[in-house]
Amino acid sequence: MSTVETRTAAPRPAPLIRHSLVLARRGLAKSLRNPGSLVNGVMTPALFMILFVYLFGGSVSGSTGAYLQYLFPGVLVMGAGIAGMLSSGLTINIDMKKGVYDRFRSLPIGRSAPLLGSVLADLVRYLVTVLVLFAIGHLMGFRVETDPGSAIAACALAIGFGFGLSWVMVFLGVLLRDEGAVMAITFVAILPLLLGTSMAAPVETLPDWLRAWAGANPVTHAMDAARALLTGTPAGDSVALTLAWSAALVAVFAPLSVWAFNRER
């Protein structure tokens, strides 16, 4: 007498999620082979932090240690933002020009899976960037003045904001036909978006015209929120505004990116 064992197959995740995760793994494999964008995303804010602390720390805050405590949260947000702006749109634009996404379209996968997979891979890059910046900041003397939970929340907030910014660059990467144009727009956007903020000095010390822009700049809200979570300064409504901006960027530019991708290809 023989018995037949019947096994119930484990439920598989939704196809779009599975396909996106597979393509995210492909994106991470590409980053390991060509880590240039990741290195740029880490080294640029790290160099800003080192130069600003040792050149201006004494004159702005009286000591490099005090200035590092003020500067680091802004650099953390800057790192996640630059990592997203440098890698997302450019990688997609290059793959589209090479015909990689045309081959993806011939496969039985969701139309948004290539874009979502690329952005999910970027989330891992943001995490690496944040961890490396924390290591460099700790070696320079930065210390969290709140608690581990708040520090994790600050990291999550920076990564979430970078995730929102990355969808803007994904949209441009799909819409534009040349990687040079994507790079040019990225660097033009980085200067006012990331430097016209409270990163290097309090908004109250800025000239009136720059103070108006910094006060409305969503990056300022993200930096103030990270600073409150890491050093205990008053948060005000910066955390809520950062969450709102992050959600709005994804809600607006993720559908636009998918629409532009399907229209162009």
Side-chain angles (χ1 to χ4, degrees):
M1 181 175 179
S2 62
T3 60
V4 178
E5 293 184 1
T6 59
R7 297 182 179 179
T8 303
R12 303 174 72 185
L16 178 60
I17 297 176
R18 289 190 288 108
H19 300 156
S20 300
L21 290 176
V22 170
L23 294 174
R25 184 172 63 182
R26 168 189 174 269
L28 292 175
K30 285 180 59 181
S31 293
L32 292 176
R33 291 194 298 267
N34 301 289
S37 61
L38 180 61
V39 172
N40 286 336
V42 174
M43 294 310 299
T44 300
L47 288 175
F48 266 100
M49 179 168 62
I50 294 170
L51 290 174
F52 275 54
V53 165
Y54 293 113
L55 287 178
F56 308 117
S59 59
V60 174
S61 297
S63 69
T64 56
Y67 190 57
L68 178 62
Q69 292 296 117
Y70 176 85
L71 181 70
F72 179 81
V75 171
L76 190 70
V77 174
M78 179 185 183
I82 287 182
M85 295 178 75
L86 286 179
S87 61
S88 304
L90 187 62
T91 300
I92 289 173
N93 185 273
I94 293 174
D95 279 349
M96 289 180 68
K97 288 188 65 176
K98 290 181 177 179
V100 175
Y101 283 175
D102 289 335
R103 293 196 290 273
F104 287 158
R105 283 176 60 84
S106 67
L107 301 175
I109 61 176
R111 287 180 176 270
S112 60
L115 301 184
L116 186 57
S118 178
V119 175
L120 289 177
D122 287 339
L123 282 177
V124 179
R125 299 185 188 105
Y126 305 158
L127 180 60
V128 172
T129 299
V130 166
L131 292 176
V132 172
L133 286 176
F134 254 102
I136 296 174
H138 186 79
L139 290 175
M140 293 176 64
F142 175 79
R143 297 294 182 268
V144 175
E145 298 178 19
T146 52
D147 55 79
S150 296
I152 293 173
C155 295
L157 204 66
I159 292 172
F161 188 69
F163 180 75
L165 285 178
S166 70
W167 278 108
V168 180
M169 300 313 300
V170 167
F171 175 63
L172 292 176
V174 173
L175 200 62
L176 300 175
R177 299 182 180 274
D178 181 64
E179 64 266 27
V182 178
M183 286 292 292
I185 291 177
T186 300
F187 281 108
V188 168
I190 282 175
L191 292 177
L193 195 61
L194 296 180
L195 298 182
T197 62
S198 63
M199 183 184 71
V203 173
E204 295 77 16
T205 65
L206 301 177
D208 292 341
W209 62 272
L210 186 56
R211 186 188 310 165
W213 162 245
N217 190 344
V219 184
T220 297
H221 304 316
M223 291 179 175
D224 288 345
R227 189 171 290 116
L229 291 169
L230 290 173
T231 64
T233 58
D237 55 359
S238 59
V239 174
L241 287 173
T242 302
L243 293 173
W245 271 106
S246 301
L249 289 172
V250 175
V252 172
F253 286 98
L256 282 176
S257 299
V258 175
W259 169 80
F261 176 71
N262 292 328
R263 187 197 66 169
E264 291 294 327
R265 299 292 169 178

